[in-house]
């Protein structure tokens, strides 16, 4: 018969060792920002609880301070910034923030429904990716 107490002890010990390893050697590969809770669609399949009405936009100062801190701590091995929403193309400061992130050396990508892409926004992707 399996001694559940011993199994739980072993699992807790393994989890503690794993947690300690990642505290000593963090490996941040992706950093997600949900820049807005606004969206121009209301897709039934979407798991985001965003709204076509008034939503919340993350202050650009918060994003900038966060990526400055990550740059300081990660230095050469920067994570990829993943920009999501709602619909990130509704975020008024998207261009400003992504230009700044690119200048710091970050790569970035964006999850969008693509309905708001125009020539100007497409060029932004080409220039700063």
């Amino acid at each position: 018969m399996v001694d559940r107490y011993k199994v739980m002890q072993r699992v807790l010990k393994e989890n503690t060792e794993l947690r300690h390893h990642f505290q000593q050697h963090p490996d941040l590969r992706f950093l997600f920002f949900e820049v807005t809770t606004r969206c121009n669609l209301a897709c039934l399949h979407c798991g985001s609880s965003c709204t076509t009405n008034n939503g919340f936009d993350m202050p650009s100062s918060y994003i900038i301070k966060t990526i400055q801190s990550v740059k300081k701590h990660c230095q050469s091995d920067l994570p990829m910034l993943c920009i999501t929403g709602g619909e990130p193309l509704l975020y008024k400061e998207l261009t400003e923030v992504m230009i700044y992130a690119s200048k710091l050396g970050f790569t970035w990508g964006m999850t969008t429904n693509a309905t708001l892409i125009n020539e100007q926004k497409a060029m932004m992707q080409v220039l700063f990716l």
Side-chain angles (χ1 to χ4, degrees):
M1 184 172 230
V2 176
D3 184 346
R4 290 179 186 224
Y5 179 74
K6 286 184 180 182
V7 169
M8 289 303 296
Q9 278 185 316
R10 188 184 79 235
V11 168
L12 288 173
K13 181 181 180 204
E14 289 171 1
N15 286 344
T16 300
E17 290 169 357
L18 188 61
R19 184 174 57 247
H20 178 70
H21 169 77
F22 283 116
Q23 287 171 341
Q24 299 301 315
H25 310 284
D27 190 17
L28 181 62
R29 294 184 182 174
F30 300 98
L31 181 59
F32 285 78
F33 286 101
E34 186 175 284
V35 295
T36 184
T37 60
R38 294 180 298 126
C39 187
N40 58 320
L41 301 177
C43 301
L44 294 175
H45 67 274
C46 184
S48 180
S49 50
C50 296
T51 177
T52 55
N53 298 323
N54 295 334
F56 172 78
D57 284 354
M58 183 179 289
S60 62
S61 60
Y62 175 79
I63 298 170
I64 288 170
K65 286 178 187 176
T66 302
I67 62 176
Q68 286 171 337
S69 177
V70 169
K71 169 77 174 179
K72 178 181 168 185
H73 290 92
C74 291
Q75 296 173 7
S76 64
D77 197 18
L78 296 174
M80 179 180 187
L81 302 180
C82 303
I83 309 304
T84 69
E87 173 50 54
L89 293 173
L90 290 173
Y91 184 63
K92 291 178 177 69
E93 298 172 292
L94 180 66
T95 301
E96 169 196 337
V97 170
M98 294 301 94
I99 288 172
Y100 183 74
S102 295
K103 286 180 180 178
L104 289 181
F106 286 91
T107 57
W108 60 278
M110 174 175 51
T111 303
T112 175
N113 61 35
T115 60
L116 300 175
I117 293 178
N118 57 26
E119 189 173 338
Q120 178 187 10
K121 290 177 182 176
M123 286 306 296
M124 181 189 77
Q125 290 287 316
V126 170
L127 293 174
F128 299 108
L129 276 179

